[in-house]
Amino acid sequence: MSESTAPPSPAAATATKAPHDHRDNPFATDPVGEVFADDQLSLKHAALGMFAAAVGGAIVAFVAWFVLHRISLPAFGGSMVTRAISSAVTVVLLLAVTVLLWFWATRGAGARPRWMELLTYVVSYLSPAALVASTLAIPLGSTRLYLDGISVDQEFRTEYLTRMTAEFGLNDMAYIDIPSYYPAGWFLAGGRLADLLGIPGWEVFQPWALITLAAGGSLLVPVWQRLSGSLPVAAGIALLTTAIAISTTADEPYAAVVAMGLPPLAVMARRALAGAWSATVGVIVFLGFSATFYTLHTAVGALIVITLTIAVCAAERSWRPVAKLVLMGAGSMLIAATVWAPYLWATLTGAASSGATAMNYLPDNGARVPLPMFAASVIGLMCLLGLIWMMVRVLEPDTRAMIIGLAVMYGWVVASMIATLAGRTLLGFRLEAPITLMLATAGVFAIADMKLNGVEKLWPAAVRPAAARAISAVLAMVILLAGVGYAQSIPTRLHGPIDLAHTDTDGYGERADRFAPDAGKWFPEIDRVLRESGLEPTESVVLTDERNFQAFFPYYSFQALTSHYANPLGEFDRRNAAIEEWAAITDPDELVNAMDADPWRGPDAIIVRGDASDPDGRFTIDLADDIYPNNPNVLFRGVAFDPAAFEKHWEVTQKGPFVILIRQ
């Protein structure tokens, strides 16, 4: 991002002519930093472009979801038809983007027809959304579920969406009468979308995830165009970022969009500390809203900003940047408080808290430092180019900001490993995707830098203009083929999660692949029994280990899925101990007295496995224990109730393999 690589834009020229005007009107002469080409957006046009890109991307994803679920596509795992359609759309998309941007880059601003400029803008700005549609929406077009179906972590995410659809407010996904702990922003907005569409919360997961990824990817185009000054560079970064995010973190879409924003955050923070007020607002908005989406990546982003501030203070030998840091911190915390305030207030006022173990997880990739630049793939090559470019361009301020951002991420990963000595981790494995995104972003700049400082500048005497254009065309073709190769492999990389979306039983008791459903087919019947007994889901507490049931139906849980996603205010460990005590009781009166004596609201109903007609049988339920540092870190163990304990005070109903116990 060097000013020597291209003529300065009008905005940059203005900033050069009047460097001190920002004292009178800071937004009018906002310094924009280094530029690659003369595509620099003014602040006004950047704001309009960001709005248009985000809304347009969301519309593209929604329309794709809507259309795909009204045509009959075969299940992804059982047929090559869906895979072929996905690949074909991807090829057409990338071909169109490459051709339009090649003409854009090889023709001057005065030589491009107006219609071509408009078409290039529309295609470039919406191309990330179209990539989400081709690589993700099409493979999922034959199922109502999202990646990983309703398995493992998608259980609690779906449960949260179901809660936020059923009730407007910052209620915990599992426990009644306590404020939400897991950031609620993405789920709250998804719940409102479900209400608008008139579909259950679990069913909105897929369209809302697609919309999130599409809008986030498209938003990157005007953001990077503003930061880099080049539309081709911006579109290239946005497409590559979106492809990597889909491949690595699409199962957690709210985390993916925050990770996608960390590379531009580093550049914006550097410019904010240098005096750019639009960048200051950008940092505030990004950190504020990311805190309502995903805490870990927000913490990393905040640490990047703090580290940059320290670096600028050291370079300037001044405390001036600290004032800007305080402003950015205060502004972002005000936004974050819109979802965090109730939980923080409960904590500060002395609410009981125990049993949560969110930091107790160390998988294989958390025990090694991620080095994506050495992967034998297109992404590995891009990351390697990015690393080399960072070293070559280390004197450029924006490049140094990206290097500092990368260093902070690697520091977090290593610190996470060291933290295991204290019995915790910092979940460093989750930074593998942001690290890859930072290096790959630099890789796009490396290619742009080679284009500007290679054929066009180093060889003008040896290469005629026609030959230079031919070399540019070859480079464009190589990039196109590499992009097609990686993008069309995304559905294959996600084969397992896509299969689960088709093989898991959904909230209607059906499987998308048309095979026989599992025991989840009884869940609608269980819901009917509970409702007919007078229990309202949003006002009732159910004890069960059938977590999928509460992912589909918004009953509160007496106990959460596992301690790793449990609200600390819910006292997971103490509830487990209480359930074990209940299981040892055989007298019906003693059981209800014990439940009423506990500090939490007891279950209005209990759903267990067993046979109500067998007097010698047992009613069983599983409890989850944290066994970190083991991997897997959760142990499920069975607890058995004596049916005699429910002979009084409980209405007993059998539905399939489930016994429904409703307190009278």
Side-chain angles (χ1 to χ4, degrees):
M1 290 176 277
S2 170
E3 290 182 358
S4 64
T5 59
S9 70
T14 302
T16 303
K17 292 175 183 177
H20 300 297
D21 289 354
H22 68 276
R23 296 177 181 177
D24 301 321
N25 187 354
F27 286 94
T29 58
D30 194 6
V32 295
E34 299 85 3
V35 292
F36 266 107
D38 200 17
D39 299 334
Q40 183 69 53
L41 292 174
S42 67
L43 184 57
K44 174 183 176 181
H45 288 113
L48 291 174
M50 290 167 64
F51 175 79
V55 173
I59 292 173
V60 168
F62 177 78
V63 170
W65 169 80
F66 184 85
V67 171
L68 288 167
H69 282 74
R70 277 150 186 80
I71 61 178
S72 182
L73 287 177
F76 179 82
S79 171
M80 292 292 113
V81 171
T82 305
R83 203 177 303 242
I85 295 172
S86 172
S87 296
V89 175
T90 299
V91 170
V92 172
L93 163 66
L94 296 182
L95 179 61
V97 174
T98 303
V99 170
L100 287 171
L101 290 178
W102 182 80
F103 276 108
W104 181 279
T106 55
R107 296 187 179 187
R112 295 189 295 255
R114 181 63 176 167
W115 67 267
M116 180 176 287
E117 288 191 344
L118 291 174
L119 179 62
T120 303
Y121 261 101
V122 171
V123 172
S124 298
Y125 275 40
L126 299 183
S127 58
L131 186 65
V132 171
S134 70
T135 59
L136 202 54
I138 291 176
L140 292 172
S142 50
T143 177
R144 299 185 185 96
L145 298 176
Y146 187 57
L147 293 175
D148 282 325
I150 198 71
S151 300
V152 197
D153 288 352
Q154 296 300 49
E155 287 180 324
F156 91 85
R157 294 171 191 142
T158 307
E159 180 182 8
Y160 208 1
L161 264 177
T162 296
R163 169 71 52 227
M164 290 300 177
T165 301
E167 296 180 90
F168 181 79
L170 298 174
N171 304 291
D172 188 69
M173 69 181 87
Y175 300 124
I176 198 168
D177 297 332
I178 64 173
S180 172
Y181 170 66
Y182 203 81
W186 186 81
F187 299 91
L188 191 62
R192 306 287 61 78
L193 177 63
D195 282 342
L196 181 65
L197 297 177
I199 60 178
W202 64 266
E203 195 174 353
V204 85
F205 199 142
Q206 184 184 139
W208 182 224
L210 295 173
I211 288 170
T212 302
L213 292 169
S218 294
L219 183 62
L220 286 177
V221 183
V223 168
W224 275 116
Q225 187 178 355
R226 168 73 177 174
L227 294 176
S228 73
S230 169
L231 178 60
V233 168
I237 292 174
L239 279 169
L240 184 61
T241 298
T242 303
I244 294 172
I246 295 172
S247 297
T248 58
T249 59
D251 60 324
E252 211 170 5
Y254 50 91
V257 292
V258 178
M260 291 160 71
L262 289 177
L265 171 69
V267 178
M268 284 194 299
R270 198 284 302 173
R271 297 187 184 182
L273 294 169
W277 282 98
S278 66
T280 303
V281 173
V283 172
I284 291 172
V285 171
F286 176 81
L287 288 179
F289 279 100
S290 69
T292 71
F293 273 40
Y294 196 69
T295 313
L296 176 65
H297 290 165
T298 302
V300 173
L303 186 57
I304 290 172
V305 177
I306 293 171
T307 306
L308 283 168
T309 304
I310 295 172
V312 174
C313 285
E316 295 184 355
R317 297 183 180 180
S318 166
W319 292 102
R320 180 197 61 80
V322 174
K324 186 64 73 70
L325 174 66
V326 172
L327 173 63
M328 291 187 289
S332 59
M333 284 190 285
L334 283 175
I335 298 174
T338 58
V339 301
W340 279 104
Y343 175 81
L344 293 175
W345 177 253
T347 302
L348 293 173
T349 53
S353 175
S354 73
T357 58
M359 311 302 283
N360 288 9
Y361 186 42
L362 186 65
D364 172 68
N365 58 338
R368 51 183 170 81
V369 175
L371 299 170
M373 69 287 289
F374 298 122
S377 65
V378 172
I379 300 303
L381 177 60
M382 292 298 297
C383 290
L384 182 59
L385 288 174
L387 181 63
I388 295 171
W389 179 80
M390 284 180 171
M391 297 301 101
V392 172
R393 290 294 188 183
V394 68
L395 296 180
E396 300 293 344
D398 286 340
T399 308
R400 286 201 301 270
M402 295 178 68
I403 293 172
I404 290 173
L406 185 65
V408 168
M409 293 181 194
Y410 271 116
W412 190 288
V413 169
V414 175
S416 179
M417 298 176 188
I418 297 173
T420 58
L421 297 175
R424 293 288 187 272
T425 77
L426 300 177
L427 304 178
F429 71 96
R430 294 197 180 276
L431 293 187
E432 186 168 358
I435 286 172
T436 303
L437 292 174
M438 187 72 80
L439 286 166
T441 296
V444 177
F445 283 122
I447 292 175
D449 218 339
M450 287 188 290
K451 166 68 170 60
L452 291 174
N453 294 301
V455 173
E456 301 292 343
K457 290 199 172 183
L458 298 182
W459 304 341
V463 180
R464 291 178 298 176
R469 286 194 295 272
I471 293 173
S472 297
V474 170
L475 179 62
M477 181 58 65
V478 171
I479 293 173
L480 169 62
L481 294 176
V484 168
Y486 183 78
Q488 72 177 359
S489 72
I490 291 175
T492 301
R493 294 170 185 269
L494 298 177
H495 182 87
I498 293 172
D499 271 358
L500 281 173
H502 288 83
T503 58
D504 280 358
T505 302
D506 65 25
Y508 298 126
E510 302 172 352
R511 276 176 49 156
D513 61 3
R514 303 297 183 236
F515 282 84
D518 59 20
K521 69 180 181 181
W522 294 101
F523 291 163
E525 275 293 297
I526 294 173
D527 175 59
R528 182 185 61 79
V529 170
L530 294 176
R531 289 176 183 270
E532 288 179 353
S533 71
L535 296 182
E536 176 61 34
T538 57
E539 300 172 0
S540 305
V541 177
V542 174
L543 170 61
T544 182
D545 61 357
E546 297 296 331
R547 303 306 174 197
N548 288 1
F549 173 74
Q550 283 158 313
F552 294 137
F553 302 98
Y555 294 91
Y556 280 99
S557 304
F558 179 80
Q559 183 60 303
L561 172 64
T562 71
S563 61
H564 304 90
Y565 292 113
N567 192 320
L569 301 179
E571 302 178 279
F572 183 94
D573 53 341
R574 295 173 186 170
R575 289 179 186 248
N576 259 9
I579 295 170
E580 291 185 274
E581 292 175 3
W582 298 347
I585 298 173
T586 58
D587 179 79
D589 294 325
E590 185 180 348
L591 177 60
V592 296
N593 289 336
M595 289 181 174
D596 293 340
D598 283 320
W600 321 283
R601 177 173 161 181
D604 300 300
I606 303 175
I607 303 171
V608 292
R609 297 259 181 167
D611 184 355
S613 63
D614 182 4
D616 299 321
R618 306 285 283 179
F619 297 158
T620 61
I621 191 172
D622 283 343
L623 298 181
D625 289 325
D626 171 39
I627 57 171
Y628 176 82
N630 289 25
N631 184 36
N633 59 332
V634 179
L635 173 67
F636 290 96
R637 56 188 174 85
V639 172
F641 288 87
D642 189 333
F646 301 96
E647 289 179 352
K648 289 172 56 180
H649 310 298
W650 300 85
E651 177 185 329
V652 181
T653 305
Q654 184 83 44
K655 286 294 178 183
F658 303 108
V659 177
I660 309 167
L661 307 164
I662 302 174
R663 187 167 176 178
Q664 301 301 296

PDB file of all heavy atoms in Angstrom, residues 76 83 147 243-244 246-248 375-380 485-498:
ATOM      1  N   PHE A  76     -27.251 -33.491  -1.129  1.00  0.00           N
ATOM      2  CA  PHE A  76     -25.871 -33.280  -1.563  1.00  0.00           C
ATOM      3  C   PHE A  76     -25.045 -34.561  -1.489  1.00  0.00           C
ATOM      4  O   PHE A  76     -24.288 -34.875  -2.407  1.00  0.00           O
ATOM      5  CB  PHE A  76     -25.237 -32.197  -0.684  1.00  0.00           C
ATOM      6  CG  PHE A  76     -23.806 -31.901  -1.022  1.00  0.00           C
ATOM      7  CD1 PHE A  76     -23.488 -31.055  -2.071  1.00  0.00           C
ATOM      8  CD2 PHE A  76     -22.772 -32.460  -0.290  1.00  0.00           C
ATOM      9  CE1 PHE A  76     -22.165 -30.766  -2.375  1.00  0.00           C
ATOM     10  CE2 PHE A  76     -21.457 -32.173  -0.583  1.00  0.00           C
ATOM     11  CZ  PHE A  76     -21.153 -31.334  -1.632  1.00  0.00           C
ATOM     12  N   ARG A  83     -23.779 -30.962  -6.566  1.00  0.00           N
ATOM     13  CA  ARG A  83     -22.370 -30.568  -6.598  1.00  0.00           C
ATOM     14  C   ARG A  83     -22.015 -29.930  -7.942  1.00  0.00           C
ATOM     15  O   ARG A  83     -21.276 -28.948  -8.005  1.00  0.00           O
ATOM     16  CB  ARG A  83     -21.502 -31.802  -6.346  1.00  0.00           C
ATOM     17  CG  ARG A  83     -20.122 -31.507  -5.819  1.00  0.00           C
ATOM     18  CD  ARG A  83     -19.406 -32.807  -5.537  1.00  0.00           C
ATOM     19  NE  ARG A  83     -20.134 -33.648  -4.621  1.00  0.00           N
ATOM     20  CZ  ARG A  83     -19.687 -34.019  -3.431  1.00  0.00           C
ATOM     21  NH1 ARG A  83     -18.519 -33.582  -3.020  1.00  0.00           N
ATOM     22  NH2 ARG A  83     -20.385 -34.801  -2.655  1.00  0.00           N
ATOM     23  N   LEU A 147     -25.257 -26.111   8.401  1.00  0.00           N
ATOM     24  CA  LEU A 147     -24.073 -26.962   8.533  1.00  0.00           C
ATOM     25  C   LEU A 147     -24.043 -27.650   9.900  1.00  0.00           C
ATOM     26  O   LEU A 147     -24.339 -27.039  10.920  1.00  0.00           O
ATOM     27  CB  LEU A 147     -22.804 -26.133   8.364  1.00  0.00           C
ATOM     28  CG  LEU A 147     -22.541 -25.529   6.984  1.00  0.00           C
ATOM     29  CD1 LEU A 147     -21.303 -24.635   7.038  1.00  0.00           C
ATOM     30  CD2 LEU A 147     -22.375 -26.614   5.928  1.00  0.00           C
ATOM     31  N   ALA A 243     -14.232 -16.872   0.817  1.00  0.00           N
ATOM     32  CA  ALA A 243     -13.974 -18.295   0.526  1.00  0.00           C
ATOM     33  C   ALA A 243     -13.320 -18.987   1.715  1.00  0.00           C
ATOM     34  O   ALA A 243     -13.704 -20.105   2.092  1.00  0.00           O
ATOM     35  CB  ALA A 243     -13.092 -18.413  -0.715  1.00  0.00           C
ATOM     36  N   ILE A 244     -12.329 -18.329   2.321  1.00  0.00           N
ATOM     37  CA  ILE A 244     -11.649 -18.926   3.475  1.00  0.00           C
ATOM     38  C   ILE A 244     -12.608 -19.048   4.654  1.00  0.00           C
ATOM     39  O   ILE A 244     -12.630 -20.067   5.358  1.00  0.00           O
ATOM     40  CB  ILE A 244     -10.414 -18.093   3.857  1.00  0.00           C
ATOM     41  CG1 ILE A 244      -9.370 -18.146   2.741  1.00  0.00           C
ATOM     42  CG2 ILE A 244      -9.804 -18.593   5.167  1.00  0.00           C
ATOM     43  CD1 ILE A 244      -8.203 -17.207   2.951  1.00  0.00           C
ATOM     44  N   ILE A 246     -15.868 -19.352   4.616  1.00  0.00           N
ATOM     45  CA  ILE A 246     -16.826 -20.439   4.378  1.00  0.00           C
ATOM     46  C   ILE A 246     -16.169 -21.788   4.638  1.00  0.00           C
ATOM     47  O   ILE A 246     -16.771 -22.688   5.235  1.00  0.00           O
ATOM     48  CB  ILE A 246     -17.367 -20.384   2.933  1.00  0.00           C
ATOM     49  CG1 ILE A 246     -18.173 -19.108   2.716  1.00  0.00           C
ATOM     50  CG2 ILE A 246     -18.239 -21.599   2.636  1.00  0.00           C
ATOM     51  CD1 ILE A 246     -18.583 -18.884   1.277  1.00  0.00           C
ATOM     52  N   SER A 247     -14.917 -21.937   4.218  1.00  0.00           N
ATOM     53  CA  SER A 247     -14.223 -23.220   4.364  1.00  0.00           C
ATOM     54  C   SER A 247     -13.894 -23.553   5.813  1.00  0.00           C
ATOM     55  O   SER A 247     -13.834 -24.730   6.176  1.00  0.00           O
ATOM     56  CB  SER A 247     -12.919 -23.207   3.560  1.00  0.00           C
ATOM     57  OG  SER A 247     -13.167 -23.068   2.189  1.00  0.00           O
ATOM     58  N   THR A 248     -13.652 -22.529   6.633  1.00  0.00           N
ATOM     59  CA  THR A 248     -13.106 -22.777   7.967  1.00  0.00           C
ATOM     60  C   THR A 248     -14.051 -22.499   9.125  1.00  0.00           C
ATOM     61  O   THR A 248     -14.017 -23.219  10.127  1.00  0.00           O
ATOM     62  CB  THR A 248     -11.826 -21.933   8.169  1.00  0.00           C
ATOM     63  OG1 THR A 248     -12.142 -20.538   7.977  1.00  0.00           O
ATOM     64  CG2 THR A 248     -10.745 -22.340   7.176  1.00  0.00           C
ATOM     65  N   ALA A 375       1.061 -24.556   3.874  1.00  0.00           N
ATOM     66  CA  ALA A 375       0.088 -25.541   3.398  1.00  0.00           C
ATOM     67  C   ALA A 375       0.225 -25.723   1.888  1.00  0.00           C
ATOM     68  O   ALA A 375       0.446 -24.753   1.153  1.00  0.00           O
ATOM     69  CB  ALA A 375      -1.331 -25.093   3.750  1.00  0.00           C
ATOM     70  N   ALA A 376       0.097 -26.954   1.428  1.00  0.00           N
ATOM     71  CA  ALA A 376       0.226 -27.251  -0.006  1.00  0.00           C
ATOM     72  C   ALA A 376      -1.103 -26.994  -0.701  1.00  0.00           C
ATOM     73  O   ALA A 376      -1.816 -27.911  -1.104  1.00  0.00           O
ATOM     74  CB  ALA A 376       0.670 -28.699  -0.203  1.00  0.00           C
ATOM     75  N   SER A 377      -1.454 -25.709  -0.817  1.00  0.00           N
ATOM     76  CA  SER A 377      -2.723 -25.335  -1.420  1.00  0.00           C
ATOM     77  C   SER A 377      -2.612 -23.915  -1.959  1.00  0.00           C
ATOM     78  O   SER A 377      -1.622 -23.211  -1.732  1.00  0.00           O
ATOM     79  CB  SER A 377      -3.853 -25.399  -0.383  1.00  0.00           C
ATOM     80  OG  SER A 377      -3.647 -24.425   0.629  1.00  0.00           O
ATOM     81  N   VAL A 378      -3.650 -23.493  -2.677  1.00  0.00           N
ATOM     82  CA  VAL A 378      -3.694 -22.123  -3.176  1.00  0.00           C
ATOM     83  C   VAL A 378      -3.653 -21.135  -2.013  1.00  0.00           C
ATOM     84  O   VAL A 378      -2.953 -20.109  -2.069  1.00  0.00           O
ATOM     85  CB  VAL A 378      -4.960 -21.906  -4.022  1.00  0.00           C
ATOM     86  CG1 VAL A 378      -5.124 -20.433  -4.384  1.00  0.00           C
ATOM     87  CG2 VAL A 378      -4.913 -22.760  -5.277  1.00  0.00           C
ATOM     88  N   ILE A 379      -4.381 -21.432  -0.950  1.00  0.00           N
ATOM     89  CA  ILE A 379      -4.393 -20.543   0.210  1.00  0.00           C
ATOM     90  C   ILE A 379      -3.015 -20.505   0.852  1.00  0.00           C
ATOM     91  O   ILE A 379      -2.552 -19.449   1.303  1.00  0.00           O
ATOM     92  CB  ILE A 379      -5.464 -20.988   1.222  1.00  0.00           C
ATOM     93  CG1 ILE A 379      -6.854 -20.959   0.566  1.00  0.00           C
ATOM     94  CG2 ILE A 379      -5.439 -20.096   2.453  1.00  0.00           C
ATOM     95  CD1 ILE A 379      -7.238 -19.620  -0.008  1.00  0.00           C
ATOM     96  N   GLY A 380      -2.340 -21.636   0.913  1.00  0.00           N
ATOM     97  CA  GLY A 380      -0.987 -21.661   1.448  1.00  0.00           C
ATOM     98  C   GLY A 380      -0.059 -20.763   0.647  1.00  0.00           C
ATOM     99  O   GLY A 380       0.761 -20.024   1.214  1.00  0.00           O
ATOM    100  N   GLY A 485     -10.418 -23.418  -8.721  1.00  0.00           N
ATOM    101  CA  GLY A 485      -9.993 -24.663  -8.096  1.00  0.00           C
ATOM    102  C   GLY A 485     -10.296 -24.704  -6.613  1.00  0.00           C
ATOM    103  O   GLY A 485     -10.763 -25.718  -6.090  1.00  0.00           O
ATOM    104  N   TYR A 486     -10.032 -23.588  -5.919  1.00  0.00           N
ATOM    105  CA  TYR A 486     -10.291 -23.562  -4.478  1.00  0.00           C
ATOM    106  C   TYR A 486     -11.780 -23.452  -4.185  1.00  0.00           C
ATOM    107  O   TYR A 486     -12.311 -24.192  -3.336  1.00  0.00           O
ATOM    108  CB  TYR A 486      -9.553 -22.401  -3.827  1.00  0.00           C
ATOM    109  CG  TYR A 486      -9.720 -22.370  -2.325  1.00  0.00           C
ATOM    110  CD1 TYR A 486      -8.986 -23.226  -1.519  1.00  0.00           C
ATOM    111  CD2 TYR A 486     -10.634 -21.507  -1.720  1.00  0.00           C
ATOM    112  CE1 TYR A 486      -9.145 -23.219  -0.140  1.00  0.00           C
ATOM    113  CE2 TYR A 486     -10.800 -21.488  -0.340  1.00  0.00           C
ATOM    114  CZ  TYR A 486     -10.050 -22.341   0.441  1.00  0.00           C
ATOM    115  OH  TYR A 486     -10.221 -22.341   1.806  1.00  0.00           O
ATOM    116  N   ALA A 487     -12.463 -22.546  -4.876  1.00  0.00           N
ATOM    117  CA  ALA A 487     -13.872 -22.298  -4.562  1.00  0.00           C
ATOM    118  C   ALA A 487     -14.746 -23.517  -4.824  1.00  0.00           C
ATOM    119  O   ALA A 487     -15.642 -23.825  -4.030  1.00  0.00           O
ATOM    120  CB  ALA A 487     -14.383 -21.104  -5.367  1.00  0.00           C
ATOM    121  N   GLN A 488     -14.497 -24.226  -5.929  1.00  0.00           N
ATOM    122  CA  GLN A 488     -15.350 -25.381  -6.222  1.00  0.00           C
ATOM    123  C   GLN A 488     -15.086 -26.554  -5.276  1.00  0.00           C
ATOM    124  O   GLN A 488     -15.890 -27.492  -5.206  1.00  0.00           O
ATOM    125  CB  GLN A 488     -15.169 -25.821  -7.671  1.00  0.00           C
ATOM    126  CG  GLN A 488     -13.848 -26.496  -7.978  1.00  0.00           C
ATOM    127  CD  GLN A 488     -13.771 -26.981  -9.419  1.00  0.00           C
ATOM    128  OE1 GLN A 488     -14.713 -26.827 -10.191  1.00  0.00           O
ATOM    129  NE2 GLN A 488     -12.646 -27.570  -9.782  1.00  0.00           N
ATOM    130  N   SER A 489     -13.964 -26.485  -4.543  1.00  0.00           N
ATOM    131  CA  SER A 489     -13.666 -27.546  -3.575  1.00  0.00           C
ATOM    132  C   SER A 489     -14.303 -27.280  -2.216  1.00  0.00           C
ATOM    133  O   SER A 489     -14.265 -28.150  -1.337  1.00  0.00           O
ATOM    134  CB  SER A 489     -12.150 -27.691  -3.404  1.00  0.00           C
ATOM    135  OG  SER A 489     -11.607 -26.587  -2.686  1.00  0.00           O
ATOM    136  N   ILE A 490     -14.871 -26.080  -2.020  1.00  0.00           N
ATOM    137  CA  ILE A 490     -15.441 -25.746  -0.711  1.00  0.00           C
ATOM    138  C   ILE A 490     -16.541 -26.721  -0.287  1.00  0.00           C
ATOM    139  O   ILE A 490     -16.530 -27.217   0.849  1.00  0.00           O
ATOM    140  CB  ILE A 490     -15.947 -24.288  -0.700  1.00  0.00           C
ATOM    141  CG1 ILE A 490     -14.760 -23.322  -0.778  1.00  0.00           C
ATOM    142  CG2 ILE A 490     -16.777 -24.008   0.550  1.00  0.00           C
ATOM    143  CD1 ILE A 490     -15.149 -21.865  -0.887  1.00  0.00           C
ATOM    144  N   PRO A 491     -17.527 -27.038  -1.159  1.00  0.00           N
ATOM    145  CA  PRO A 491     -18.535 -28.007  -0.728  1.00  0.00           C
ATOM    146  C   PRO A 491     -17.941 -29.366  -0.355  1.00  0.00           C
ATOM    147  O   PRO A 491     -18.443 -30.032   0.559  1.00  0.00           O
ATOM    148  CB  PRO A 491     -19.451 -28.121  -1.962  1.00  0.00           C
ATOM    149  CG  PRO A 491     -19.281 -26.822  -2.669  1.00  0.00           C
ATOM    150  CD  PRO A 491     -17.838 -26.478  -2.487  1.00  0.00           C
ATOM    151  N   THR A 492     -16.867 -29.775  -1.044  1.00  0.00           N
ATOM    152  CA  THR A 492     -16.216 -31.037  -0.699  1.00  0.00           C
ATOM    153  C   THR A 492     -15.555 -30.936   0.671  1.00  0.00           C
ATOM    154  O   THR A 492     -15.612 -31.876   1.476  1.00  0.00           O
ATOM    155  CB  THR A 492     -15.169 -31.405  -1.766  1.00  0.00           C
ATOM    156  OG1 THR A 492     -15.817 -31.514  -3.031  1.00  0.00           O
ATOM    157  CG2 THR A 492     -14.489 -32.727  -1.426  1.00  0.00           C
ATOM    158  N   ARG A 493     -14.918 -29.797   0.952  1.00  0.00           N
ATOM    159  CA  ARG A 493     -14.316 -29.592   2.266  1.00  0.00           C
ATOM    160  C   ARG A 493     -15.371 -29.640   3.369  1.00  0.00           C
ATOM    161  O   ARG A 493     -15.084 -30.041   4.500  1.00  0.00           O
ATOM    162  CB  ARG A 493     -13.599 -28.237   2.300  1.00  0.00           C
ATOM    163  CG  ARG A 493     -12.389 -28.134   1.384  1.00  0.00           C
ATOM    164  CD  ARG A 493     -11.897 -26.694   1.307  1.00  0.00           C
ATOM    165  NE  ARG A 493     -10.814 -26.551   0.362  1.00  0.00           N
ATOM    166  CZ  ARG A 493      -9.530 -26.656   0.656  1.00  0.00           C
ATOM    167  NH1 ARG A 493      -9.179 -26.924   1.907  1.00  0.00           N
ATOM    168  NH2 ARG A 493      -8.600 -26.515  -0.264  1.00  0.00           N
ATOM    169  N   LEU A 494     -16.574 -29.200   3.047  1.00  0.00           N
ATOM    170  CA  LEU A 494     -17.670 -29.166   4.027  1.00  0.00           C
ATOM    171  C   LEU A 494     -18.591 -30.368   3.903  1.00  0.00           C
ATOM    172  O   LEU A 494     -19.729 -30.328   4.381  1.00  0.00           O
ATOM    173  CB  LEU A 494     -18.474 -27.871   3.840  1.00  0.00           C
ATOM    174  CG  LEU A 494     -17.720 -26.564   4.068  1.00  0.00           C
ATOM    175  CD1 LEU A 494     -18.619 -25.373   3.768  1.00  0.00           C
ATOM    176  CD2 LEU A 494     -17.188 -26.471   5.489  1.00  0.00           C
ATOM    177  N   HIS A 495     -18.087 -31.432   3.283  1.00  0.00           N
ATOM    178  CA  HIS A 495     -18.940 -32.596   3.007  1.00  0.00           C
ATOM    179  C   HIS A 495     -19.585 -33.142   4.285  1.00  0.00           C
ATOM    180  O   HIS A 495     -20.794 -33.407   4.323  1.00  0.00           O
ATOM    181  CB  HIS A 495     -18.112 -33.693   2.335  1.00  0.00           C
ATOM    182  CG  HIS A 495     -18.900 -34.908   1.973  1.00  0.00           C
ATOM    183  ND1 HIS A 495     -19.581 -35.027   0.776  1.00  0.00           N
ATOM    184  CD2 HIS A 495     -19.164 -36.054   2.652  1.00  0.00           C
ATOM    185  CE1 HIS A 495     -20.195 -36.199   0.726  1.00  0.00           C
ATOM    186  NE2 HIS A 495     -19.960 -36.840   1.858  1.00  0.00           N
ATOM    187  N   GLY A 496     -18.777 -33.308   5.363  1.00  0.00           N
ATOM    188  CA  GLY A 496     -19.318 -33.841   6.609  1.00  0.00           C
ATOM    189  C   GLY A 496     -20.400 -32.969   7.206  1.00  0.00           C
ATOM    190  O   GLY A 496     -21.508 -33.448   7.500  1.00  0.00           O
ATOM    191  N   PRO A 497     -20.142 -31.659   7.411  1.00  0.00           N
ATOM    192  CA  PRO A 497     -21.192 -30.784   7.946  1.00  0.00           C
ATOM    193  C   PRO A 497     -22.434 -30.712   7.066  1.00  0.00           C
ATOM    194  O   PRO A 497     -23.557 -30.619   7.584  1.00  0.00           O
ATOM    195  CB  PRO A 497     -20.492 -29.419   8.015  1.00  0.00           C
ATOM    196  CG  PRO A 497     -19.042 -29.741   8.180  1.00  0.00           C
ATOM    197  CD  PRO A 497     -18.833 -30.980   7.365  1.00  0.00           C
ATOM    198  N   ILE A 498     -22.255 -30.754   5.731  1.00  0.00           N
ATOM    199  CA  ILE A 498     -23.418 -30.731   4.835  1.00  0.00           C
ATOM    200  C   ILE A 498     -24.205 -32.022   4.962  1.00  0.00           C
ATOM    201  O   ILE A 498     -25.448 -32.023   4.971  1.00  0.00           O
ATOM    202  CB  ILE A 498     -22.977 -30.492   3.378  1.00  0.00           C
ATOM    203  CG1 ILE A 498     -22.393 -29.088   3.225  1.00  0.00           C
ATOM    204  CG2 ILE A 498     -24.149 -30.672   2.419  1.00  0.00           C
ATOM    205  CD1 ILE A 498     -21.750 -28.828   1.877  1.00  0.00           C
TER     206      ILE A 498
END
